[in-house]
Amino acid sequence: MNYQEKVSTRQDVRVLFQKVKNDPGVSHYRGYTETKSYGWDEGKGDYVKCEGEVWFENPAYNAGLEEQNIPEEASCLLEDEEMPTVCEEVGHEEDCPACEELRLKQAELEEALFATESELDVVKEQKDALCGILCNLRAVLEAVLAHKPE
């Protein structure tokens, strides 16, 4: 199964990647705008941008999930050994209190992640601004020292 979602920021691409990575039933994904496709490179910790419609591989894809006919909504539960048993006893994921508890916990963690990423972006901007100031000060100091009469 493929999954795509409209994105507009770097954080949107990262969130999309995390969402897809948490669903091993998704084989390929893409974030998109009108003319470009976006994916996430974990190694670089940044997005990848391509012209046109380009699909990116989900590193957590498990081809066996499609063969087992597991609903997309439940595919993320396979990582937890206890969840399939609990859900089978109840009958449906929607009726499962443990599943609801996990969804709430996931929502809390995603909110915390978004807040942390936002803080990280602010800190990176501040760092870049300070580096720019230091570079300017270094240039001024070098100019002063170069023209200093001896």
Side-chain angles (χ1 to χ4, degrees):
M1 174 182 82
N2 291 343
Y3 182 78
Q4 64 181 344
E5 191 173 289
K6 192 165 192 163
V7 294
S8 57
T9 65
R10 178 180 181 270
Q11 184 173 348
D12 290 346
V13 177
R14 172 118 170 99
V15 169
L16 169 63
F17 175 74
Q18 289 301 325
K19 185 188 306 183
V20 168
K21 191 174 172 188
N22 287 332
D23 187 348
V26 175
S27 62
H28 292 83
Y29 73 98
R30 73 184 273 258
Y32 68 93
T33 60
E34 287 184 32
T35 60
K36 294 179 177 51
S37 294
Y38 296 87
W40 189 261
D41 184 334
E42 279 186 298
K44 293 181 182 177
D46 206 0
Y47 68 89
V48 177
K49 175 173 59 172
C50 299
E51 291 291 327
E53 185 174 324
V54 177
W55 292 87
F56 301 89
E57 289 185 22
N58 177 3
Y61 174 62
N62 181 349
L65 291 179
E66 289 179 358
E67 295 169 10
Q68 296 172 11
N69 249 349
I70 296 173
E72 296 170 32
E73 307 84 39
S75 64
C76 64
L77 300 175
L78 292 178
E79 295 174 10
D80 187 352
E81 294 176 11
E82 296 177 23
M83 289 309 294
T85 311
V86 172
C87 291
E88 287 169 6
E89 289 173 10
V90 174
H92 294 290
E93 181 183 354
E94 302 90 39
D95 300 334
C96 179
C99 293
E100 182 59 31
E101 184 179 327
L102 283 176
R103 279 193 291 277
L104 292 173
K105 179 78 171 171
Q106 181 180 2
E108 289 174 15
L109 290 172
E110 285 175 352
E111 286 179 28
L113 176 64
F114 295 148
T116 303
E117 286 179 340
S118 296
E119 289 176 29
L120 178 62
D121 289 341
V122 168
V123 169
K124 284 181 179 179
E125 288 173 8
Q126 290 173 342
K127 178 195 72 117
D128 291 345
L130 289 172
C131 286
I133 291 170
L134 286 173
C135 287
N136 289 338
L137 286 173
R138 179 179 290 138
V140 168
L141 181 60
E142 287 173 354
V144 168
L145 292 175
H147 292 8
K148 180 180 175 185
E150 294 185 30

